[in-house]
Amino acid sequence: MKLLRYGDPNQEKWGILDAEGHVRTLDDALAGVTGDVFSPEWLAQLAALDPAKLPSLKTPRRIGPAIPRPLNFVCIGLNYADHAAETGGKIPKEPILFLKSLSAFSGPYDDIIIPPGARKTDWEVELGVVIGTKAAHVAEADALDYVAGYCTVNDVSERAYQTERGGTWDKGKGCDSFGPVGPYLVTKDEVPDPQNLNLWAEVDGVRMQDGNTRTMIFGVKSLVSYVSQFITLHPGDIIATGTPAGVGAGKKPEPIFLRPGQQVKIGIQGMGEQIAKTISG
C-alpha cells in the first residue's frame, strides 16, 4: 500500500495510490477507520479498502510530505562506509544520531531553498523509516514490529554551516526545506527486505549517487532498536538512515554544490522519486 498526502502546506489530506499510479482520495473512507494513525489496526483497515472503488483526485494538487509533521525527525550520520570514506570520516563504532529541525520538513516536489549566505548546499538520498507503534528500549529482534513503512528522504545539508561554524551538525541540517519526505509512504508489507533497495540522486540529469541499502553499516533493525534506547519514538516519527557515496562534498577533484536554478531528483527502488528545484532564500 502506498499512502500519500496532497493539498496546500499544513492542510494536506490523505490519499492512496492505485495500481495505475492514480491518486484516490481517502476523505470519506477514513470516517469509518478506527485506531491511531499508523497503528497496525489503522493500516490494516486501509489495506482492506479497494482503491479502485475510491474517488479519484480529479484536479491535480500539490503532493505534500508523505506523512504528517512528526514529533521526531531523527537522522543517522556516516552510515555507509563509502560515504564515510569520501568525507574523510571514520567508520563509527556506534550510530551517529542527530535531529533535523521540524521546520525543515517539506514535500517531495517543493522547492529547496538555499539559505542566504550558504556556499555548500548538498544532497543526500536516504531511506526513511516511519514508526507505527510507540517504541522505547526495543530489542533488535522485535524492531520491525514497530515500523509502519518506508519513504524517500533528502537530507539536504549546508556543509559550511555543518562543519565550519562550530558545534554540532544540526545547524547545517535544519534550514527551511532541508527535509523533503515522500512522495509516498510504502507500508512494510511491500518491502520484504529494506536492506536490498537501490537508491540514487541526480542533479540536472547527472547521476551523482548510485547505491544500495545493503551497504549500510547499521541496518534498519539495528537503528530502530538503537535510537529507541535514547529517544522514545512515536507513531509517524522518521529515522533517515544515512546516505551512500556521491554527495557533492565528496566529489573529486573538487566538491560540487547546489546553486539556484538546478533540478535535484532522488529516488529509492519502489518508493518513487522526488523532483525539486533549487531557489535562493
Side-chain angles (χ1 to χ4, degrees):
M1 183 169 56
K2 294 179 174 65
L3 297 173
L4 53 81
R5 289 172 61 79
Y6 65 89
D8 295 334
N10 303 315
Q11 298 180 25
E12 293 93 348
K13 296 182 179 182
W14 284 105
I16 190 170
L17 213 63
D18 67 18
E20 286 71 44
H22 301 135
V23 178
R24 303 282 182 154
T25 67
L26 286 170
D27 289 1
D28 295 335
L30 282 173
V33 175
T34 58
D36 295 329
V37 174
F38 296 120
S39 68
E41 176 187 6
W42 188 82
L43 290 173
Q45 291 172 77
L46 290 183
L49 299 173
D50 181 358
K53 296 181 179 179
L54 298 172
S56 294
L57 185 64
K58 309 234 180 259
T59 304
R61 301 290 303 278
R62 166 187 175 266
I63 302 300
I67 61 175
R69 189 183 300 272
L71 185 63
N72 293 299
F73 196 156
V74 184
C75 296
I76 310 299
L78 302 181
N79 194 33
Y80 288 72
D82 55 1
H83 173 56
E86 73 176 348
T87 62
K90 296 180 180 179
I91 294 178
K93 295 180 179 179
E94 294 189 35
I96 297 171
L97 307 186
F98 61 92
L99 294 174
K100 204 167 185 77
S101 169
L102 297 184
S103 63
F105 190 66
S106 60
Y109 310 117
D110 294 345
D111 293 338
I112 293 173
I113 304 168
I114 298 178
R119 300 180 291 109
K120 299 181 179 181
T121 304
D122 208 343
W123 57 86
E124 291 191 13
V125 61
E126 307 201 3
L127 175 67
V129 179
V130 180
I131 300 300
T133 302
K134 185 177 178 181
H137 303 283
V138 305
E140 185 171 331
D142 302 325
L144 293 188
D145 294 342
Y146 295 83
V147 172
Y150 304 92
C151 61
T152 302
V153 174
N154 189 354
D155 177 21
V156 184
S157 308
E158 169 48 43
R159 304 299 188 191
Y161 295 175
Q162 178 186 357
T163 62
E164 300 172 18
R165 300 290 297 271
T168 64
W169 290 0
D170 301 68
K171 66 182 70 173
K173 299 283 191 172
C175 303
D176 291 352
S177 79
F178 273 24
V181 173
Y184 34 77
L185 164 73
V186 181
T187 50
K188 66 180 178 182
D189 58 291
E190 292 196 10
V191 187
D193 184 5
Q195 301 306 150
N196 189 25
L197 300 170
N198 295 324
L199 64 172
W200 59 89
E202 297 179 354
V203 178
D204 291 340
V206 177
R207 184 64 59 103
M208 297 294 189
Q209 289 182 278
D210 201 351
N212 188 287
T213 57
R214 65 174 170 265
T215 64
M216 284 183 185
I217 298 168
F218 305 102
V220 170
K221 289 182 181 180
S222 174
L223 291 174
V224 172
S225 173
Y226 187 86
V227 174
S228 78
Q229 310 306 312
F230 305 96
I231 300 169
T232 297
L233 296 167
H234 297 265
D237 282 354
I238 305 173
I239 302 175
T241 56
T243 199
V247 300
K251 294 298 182 184
K252 302 293 188 294
E254 296 293 334
I256 300 172
F257 296 114
L258 295 171
R259 59 185 187 276
Q262 294 187 289
Q263 182 190 81
V264 179
K265 180 188 291 187
I266 70 165
I268 299 178
Q269 179 182 347
M271 297 184 194
E273 290 185 324
Q274 298 181 5
I275 301 175
K277 181 177 71 174
T278 57
I279 64 171
S280 295

